[in-house]
Amino acid sequence: MKVFSPAFNDGDVLPRPYTADGDDISPPIQWDGYPQDTEEFALIFHEIGGDKALHWGVYGIPKEVTFLPEGLPMRGVITDPVQVNQMENSFGKLGYTGPGVRNRSESREFLFTVYALNKALKLPAGESLQSLFESMERNIVDSAQMRVKYS
C-alpha cells in the first residue's frame, strides 16, 4: 500500500496553503495498492514527537474512494465531493487544522497514515481518536505513511 499527494512528496516541507500560516485547507491525499479484502479506509494526520497533536482524522471512507480532494469542509459529516466522517482534532475543530508557528527555529515532522480496514466500522461523526483506534484494532489489514515537515 502507498500514500501520496499530487501537491507534495514524501519528506517535503508541507506547502504553505496547507498550514495555519497559509490558507489552512486540507491537502489532497491519495492511496493505492491496498489489499482486496479492504472494506473501508481511515486517515490520520498528526505531529511526530513534540505534543503529537492530531491535525486531521477522516474515517468511514468507502473502499471505492482512494482520493481525498483538497479543501474538505470543516464539519463532521461530508457528503460532497466524497462521503466521509471527520473527527474533532486536537484544536477542538471538526476537520483539518494545519501546522502553525510555535517556534520558527524548530523544524517539526508530521505523518499522514492511511489504514485499510477489512470491516466497515459505522462510527458516527466526531468520534475520538481513541475510539477510532479501539474500533480499528482488529480490522487493520494494511497501512501506509507519508512524512512531511513544517518549518
Side-chain angles (χ1 to χ4, degrees):
M1 189 167 160
K2 182 180 177 183
V3 61
F4 52 97
S5 175
F8 50 87
N9 294 312
D10 185 43
D12 281 358
V13 171
L14 190 64
R16 186 172 176 84
Y18 311 118
T19 70
D21 307 324
D23 298 328
D24 207 13
I25 58 172
S26 63
I29 301 293
Q30 193 168 353
W31 54 93
D32 63 18
Y34 52 89
Q36 285 187 344
D37 60 343
T38 300
E39 290 297 319
E40 186 173 279
F41 298 100
L43 176 143
I44 302 294
F45 176 56
H46 68 93
E47 185 168 358
I48 303 169
D51 61 10
K52 295 181 175 47
L54 172 67
H55 286 262
W56 195 23
V58 186
Y59 56 97
I61 305 169
K63 65 181 178 183
E64 300 80 21
V65 175
T66 58
F67 179 72
L68 295 178
E70 177 181 89
L72 287 181
M74 295 288 290
R75 59 179 181 263
V77 177
I78 298 173
T79 56
D80 186 44
V82 294
Q83 186 162 346
V84 298
N85 292 330
Q86 296 187 104
M87 65 178 53
E88 184 175 315
N89 62 35
S90 293
F91 310 95
K93 298 178 180 177
L94 286 170
Y96 180 85
T97 297
V101 174
R102 265 196 312 204
N103 181 346
R104 285 203 181 269
S105 65
E106 177 187 337
S107 179
R108 293 158 31 220
E109 288 192 319
F110 298 82
L111 201 60
F112 289 95
T113 306
V114 175
Y115 297 93
L117 309 172
N118 63 3
K119 176 183 173 185
L121 302 180
K122 298 181 174 129
L123 295 172
E127 279 297 315
S128 70
L129 184 60
Q130 179 179 345
S131 178
L132 176 63
F133 276 120
E134 286 171 2
S135 297
M136 290 191 324
E137 189 172 30
R138 294 184 182 96
N139 300 299
I140 298 171
V141 292
D142 205 354
S143 65
Q145 298 178 326
M146 179 174 58
R147 198 177 287 250
V148 294
K149 299 173 189 164
Y150 171 87
S151 53

